[in-house]
Amino acid sequence: MTTGTVLIWVGVGVVLVGILVTWAPWAFSWFGNLPGDIRHRSEHSTVFIPITSMIIVSIGISVLLALIRRLGE
């Protein structure tokens, strides 16, 4: 696959995720609410570090890219 084709597919994927987030917010209600996500609120500031959520997203992207790579062979 050429670089242009990959960029087109990445763009289509981003648009689809954007549509899903806009029209089905319940699909991402888990994000940031998992055990291991750090949320600290004080009087003047809030710090949010979604460690567990990002690990799950990273695993999902890795699996998806591995599947795409195998289908491309």
Side-chain angles (χ1 to χ4, degrees), residues 2 14 23-24 27-28 30 40-41 43 45 49 51 53 55-56 58 62 65 71:
T2 64
V14 168
W23 287 333
F28 290 97
W30 59 270
H40 175 72
R41 293 183 183 149
E43 186 176 332
S45 64
I49 306 170
I51 296 172
S53 298
I55 289 172
I56 290 176
S58 176
S62 296
L65 290 176
L71 291 175

Side-chain angles (χ1 to χ4, degrees), residues 7-23:
L7 288 174
I8 289 171
W9 283 110
V10 168
V12 168
V14 168
V15 168
L16 291 175
V17 169
I19 289 171
L20 183 65
V21 168
T22 301
W23 287 333

Side-chain angles (χ1 to χ4, degrees), residues 31-46:
F31 187 80
N33 295 320
L34 296 174
D37 292 340
I38 299 171
R39 186 177 311 219
H40 175 72
R41 293 183 183 149
S42 68
E43 186 176 332
H44 299 290
S45 64
T46 299

